């Protein structure tokens, strides 16, 4: 059952749904996705207040050089009740303090010459100056956070200002990760002849963690039915199970059989993509099971392209696919296969836009190229060789880290 990349992704996304919400406390909300709407419980600011340290005045009393009698003081945190700005007078006021009766403007201290109990106005004053009016920021009932909003420090500030101590956010999927293969030993263990260290387990756990989901490392299963059955059964306690290796055509590639025996309905087991072709996907009720290829580069690309969108959807994200960005090629790129090709590239920003070059040897056995890459170019099946100067589409792997690769105007194609 071979699926195109688009069909495979669509099938996965049909089965990935946001998990039921958790109630999480204010201190732990950053990076989570809101599962409920939040409206302003009151006007913000709640009352007219001073934008500056200075003097509360009546604008009509003010002209340059005039002296006003200072009567009263309202520091931040004090009520203005009982304080009034009467004709010819001013009240000393601090930033954030409530505007007293009679005041229609604030004169910043730097626009005055203060005396003992008098103040001289040195600048023109207009009604409304330096007053933050009630509801100027938001009005009671205004919708401020919608379900699907990612909670950043700005949203946390808003929630705290509303005194919200908790919020419903989408639950983080628990993602069990299982490495399979007789040749594997755990990191830290001695690798004997013919053995290699399991690097996929930690790499996939890191990728899961980076998205905000919760990885559960199951370790290594041997290429036999008993070992695989035991570990896969444990893995199916989680929301998502990701296995690596053992899904090709070899006689020890038993992962799919064991998943099926464990009740996982297989929906596809080959995708027209390279790397990542031998990827299988199945479901057991609401649980998802991804079987990724064993090759480290292939497992990472397959995760990036097929698992990441599913996890983001389960986490409540609305934008789950990396936006394609147009780049100009500096080196040729080719895809002569009938598969969608993902090529590791290095993109830099210049005054002429983004330029991309191959990050190195594209063989899936070469991890070094993955380390050098900051983006993945997508080449449609059987597209002719793209030449330097041609445009191509890439997905940035970590856009927030991209600026580290920026270069100066001198770096042109
Ligand atoms: P397989 O899909 O089982 O044929 O494995 C393909 C290649 O990936 C083989 O060279 C494996 O040794 C390698 N491989 C499999 N699992 C892992 C792993 N967990 N970490 C690193 N390499 C792996
Ligand atoms: Mg194997």
């Amino acid at each position: 059952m071979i699926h195109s990349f688009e069909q495979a992704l669509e099938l996965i996304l049909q089965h990935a749904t946001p998990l039921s919400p958790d109630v999480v406390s204010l201190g732990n909300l950053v990076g989570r996705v809101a599962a409920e709407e939040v409206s302003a419980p009151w006007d913000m600011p709640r009352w007219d207040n001073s934008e500056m340290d200075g003097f509360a005045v009546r604008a009509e009393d003010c002209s340059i050089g005039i002296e006003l009698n200072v009567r009263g003081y309202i520091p931040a945190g004090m009520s203005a009740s009982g304080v009034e700005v009467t004709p010819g007078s001013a009240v000393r006021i601090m930033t954030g303090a409530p505007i007293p009766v009679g005041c229609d403007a604030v004169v910043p201290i730097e626009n005055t010459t203060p005396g003992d109990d008098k103040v001289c106005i040195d600048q023109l004053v207009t009604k409304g100056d330096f007053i933050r009016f009630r509801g100027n920021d938001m009005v009671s009932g205004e919708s401020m956070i919608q379900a699907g909003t990612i909670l950043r420090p700005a949203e946390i500030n808003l929630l705290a200002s509303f005194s919200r101590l908790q919020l419903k956010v989408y639950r983080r999927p628990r993602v069990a990760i299982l490495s399979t293969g007789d040749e594997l030993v755990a990191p830290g263990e001695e690798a004997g002849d013919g053995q290699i260290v399991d690097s996929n387990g930690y790499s996939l756990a890191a990728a899961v963690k980076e998205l905000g989901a919760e990885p559960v490392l199951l370790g290594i299963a041997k290429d036999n039915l008993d070992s695989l059955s035991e570990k896969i059964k444990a893995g199916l306690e989680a929301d998502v199970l990701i296995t690596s290796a053992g899904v090709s055509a070899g006689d020890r590639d038993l992962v799919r059989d064991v998943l099926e025996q464990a009740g996982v309905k297989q929906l596809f087991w080959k995708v027209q993509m390279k790397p990542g072709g031998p990827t299988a996907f199945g479901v057991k009720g609401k649980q998802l099971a991804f079987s990724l290829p064993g090759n480290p580069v292939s497992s990472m690309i397959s995760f990036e392209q097929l698992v990441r969108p599913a996890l983001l959807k389960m986490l409540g994200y609305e934008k789950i696919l990396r936006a394609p960005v147009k780049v100009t090629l500096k080196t040729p790129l080719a895809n002569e296969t009938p598969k969608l090709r993902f090529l590791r590239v290095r993109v830099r920003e210049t005054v002429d836009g983004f330029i991309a070059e191959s990050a190195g040897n594209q063989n899936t056995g070469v991890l070094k190229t993955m380390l050098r890459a900051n983006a993945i170019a997508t080449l449609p099946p059987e597209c002719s060789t793209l030449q330097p100067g041609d445009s191509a589409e890439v997905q940035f792997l970590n856009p927030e880290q991209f600026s580290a690769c920026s270069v100066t105007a001198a770096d042109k194609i």
Side-chain angles (χ1 to χ4, degrees), residues 223-298:
D223 288 323
N224 65 62
L225 291 176
D226 285 349
S227 178
L228 281 168
S229 301
E230 186 200 324
K231 294 280 192 181
I232 282 177
K233 204 168 145 225
L236 288 171
E237 306 268 302
D239 300 298
V240 177
L241 168 63
I242 305 176
T243 62
S244 74
V247 272
S248 303
D251 56 2
R252 299 229 187 136
D253 290 341
L254 303 169
V255 170
R256 288 204 292 117
D257 292 347
V258 175
L259 280 168
E260 232 166 84
Q261 280 166 23
V264 173
K265 188 172 146 218
Q266 300 275 302
L267 297 177
F268 65 77
W269 51 84
K270 255 194 171 42
V271 186
Q272 289 278 64
M273 65 192 269
K274 187 180 163 131
T279 294
F281 172 69
V283 291
K284 183 179 183 187
K286 290 198 135 208
Q287 293 166 295
L288 312 184
F290 293 90
S291 313
L292 309 186
N295 200 304
V297 170
S298 309

Side-chain angles (χ1 to χ4, degrees), residues 179-180 183-184 196-200 244-246 248 253 294-296:
S179 303
T180 77
E183 74 276 36
L184 302 179
I196 60 162
V197 181
D198 163 25
S199 55
N200 288 347
S244 74
S248 303
D253 290 341
N295 200 304

Side-chain angles (χ1 to χ4, degrees), residues 81-132:
S81 78
V83 183
E84 187 174 350
V85 178
T86 50
S89 76
V91 169
R92 205 148 74 81
I93 193 165
M94 294 293 114
T95 306
I99 296 293
V101 171
C103 159
D104 61 11
V106 169
V107 189
I109 201 156
E110 49 271 45
N111 294 354
T112 68
T113 309
D116 279 348
D117 48 7
K118 295 208 180 284
V119 60
C120 179
I121 305 298
D122 298 338
Q123 302 267 333
L124 278 177
V125 177
T126 311
K127 223 171 160 173
D129 276 358
F130 301 102
I131 295 177
R132 297 189 289 215

Side-chain angles (χ1 to χ4, degrees), residues 175-376:
V175 183
I177 294 160
L178 176 63
S179 303
T180 77
D182 284 337
E183 74 276 36
L184 302 179
V185 297
E189 279 176 21
E190 183 80 19
D193 248 7
Q195 295 188 309
I196 60 162
V197 181
D198 163 25
S199 55
N200 288 347
Y202 279 93
S203 163
L204 290 168
V208 165
K209 212 168 178 175
E210 202 174 47
L211 299 183
E214 216 182 283
V216 182
L217 272 172
L218 295 179
I220 299 165
K222 297 279 175 204
D223 288 323
N224 65 62
L225 291 176
D226 285 349
S227 178
L228 281 168
S229 301
E230 186 200 324
K231 294 280 192 181
I232 282 177
K233 204 168 145 225
L236 288 171
E237 306 268 302
D239 300 298
V240 177
L241 168 63
I242 305 176
T243 62
S244 74
V247 272
S248 303
D251 56 2
R252 299 229 187 136
D253 290 341
L254 303 169
V255 170
R256 288 204 292 117
D257 292 347
V258 175
L259 280 168
E260 232 166 84
Q261 280 166 23
V264 173
K265 188 172 146 218
Q266 300 275 302
L267 297 177
F268 65 77
W269 51 84
K270 255 194 171 42
V271 186
Q272 289 278 64
M273 65 192 269
K274 187 180 163 131
T279 294
F281 172 69
V283 291
K284 183 179 183 187
K286 290 198 135 208
Q287 293 166 295
L288 312 184
F290 293 90
S291 313
L292 309 186
N295 200 304
V297 170
S298 309
S299 74
M300 278 186 267
I301 300 268
S302 193
F303 179 93
E304 174 66 30
Q305 300 300 328
L306 295 172
V307 186
R308 179 181 183 271
L311 294 184
L312 288 180
K313 192 166 174 203
M314 294 173 97
L315 280 158
Y317 280 64
E318 278 163 13
K319 184 178 172 296
I320 55 175
L321 300 177
R322 299 225 196 254
V325 175
K326 283 246 184 276
V327 297
T328 304
L329 293 180
K330 195 177 174 188
T331 55
L333 291 180
N335 179 19
E336 276 134 22
T337 73
K339 302 170 180 183
L340 178 62
R341 190 87 209 267
F342 298 105
L343 295 165
R344 289 154 278 168
V345 294
R346 204 168 165 74
V347 180
R348 292 175 295 173
E349 192 173 17
T350 71
V351 283
D352 297 324
F354 294 118
I355 58 167
E357 59 188 342
S358 170
N361 184 341
Q362 297 291 335
N363 188 299
T364 49
V366 183
L367 183 60
K368 203 196 284 176
T369 309
M370 194 79 203
L371 298 176
R372 276 183 48 77
N374 62 358
I376 300 291

